[in-house]
Amino acid sequence: MPTNPPGGLGHVPVAVYSCATTSTALGESEERGRYYADARHWHVAGVWSDPDLALPLAERPGWQAVTAALSAGMIRGVVVSVPTHVAADAAQFAALGVLLRDRGGFLADASNGIPARRTPGQARRRHDIADAASGWFTQPDTHEEGAS
């Protein structure tokens, strides 16, 4: 019996997979995949990547590790930050999704779940606003004792 609520939310082990030529692009892809999984309360059981998009998907070592993890039951789904990391077009992506579904898994496209980029100053400002909203003041002269 599944322990996950309807709608795909819950503790579901997934892999985040990406394929890019630079470490910066790989890092951004991983971040986007993790963000997408976290938003659904999925557990990221592993992150795999490959550096060569020209190599056929079945021959990529990272993708082979992902499919091995799926076959072993270590993961139930694969999150990719961009569909082109695993398929040339939408039809191929859909066919790959069907293949993974036949193996008991699923394929998720995180390209719509892009995390908001914030500068350190914006992040600090959001933190200060949250503190102020909760009644916590970081500067002693900001809050006057006895004021209503």
Side-chain angles (χ1 to χ4, degrees):
M1 174 193 266
T3 58
N4 300 318
L9 296 175
H11 186 78
V12 177
V14 297
V16 172
Y17 176 79
S18 57
C19 187
T21 56
T22 67
S23 60
T24 302
L26 286 173
E28 289 173 358
S29 292
E30 178 183 341
E31 178 185 2
R32 185 176 298 132
R34 283 183 181 277
Y35 177 83
Y36 186 88
D38 288 345
R40 285 149 185 80
H41 304 287
W42 295 343
H43 168 68
V44 177
V47 177
W48 288 276
S49 62
D50 288 303
D52 187 6
L53 274 169
L55 197 61
L57 186 61
E59 295 176 19
R60 298 181 194 167
W63 183 255
Q64 290 172 354
V66 167
T67 57
L70 181 64
S71 296
M74 207 174 104
I75 60 169
R76 289 192 39 213
V78 181
V79 177
V80 295
S81 63
V82 181
T84 56
H85 286 193
V86 294
D89 56 28
Q92 222 178 38
F93 187 79
L96 183 60
V98 169
L99 178 66
L100 291 180
R101 194 169 37 251
D102 289 347
R103 292 182 176 182
F106 64 88
L107 180 61
D109 170 13
S111 61
N112 291 333
I114 299 171
R117 296 222 172 261
R118 293 187 184 96
T119 66
Q122 289 170 323
R124 181 70 206 155
R125 172 111 173 100
R126 289 175 62 89
H127 181 69
D128 290 345
I129 291 169
D131 284 349
S134 68
W136 177 260
F137 296 93
T138 56
Q139 298 176 353
D141 62 342
T142 321
H143 182 265
E144 295 179 24
E145 293 295 323
S148 340

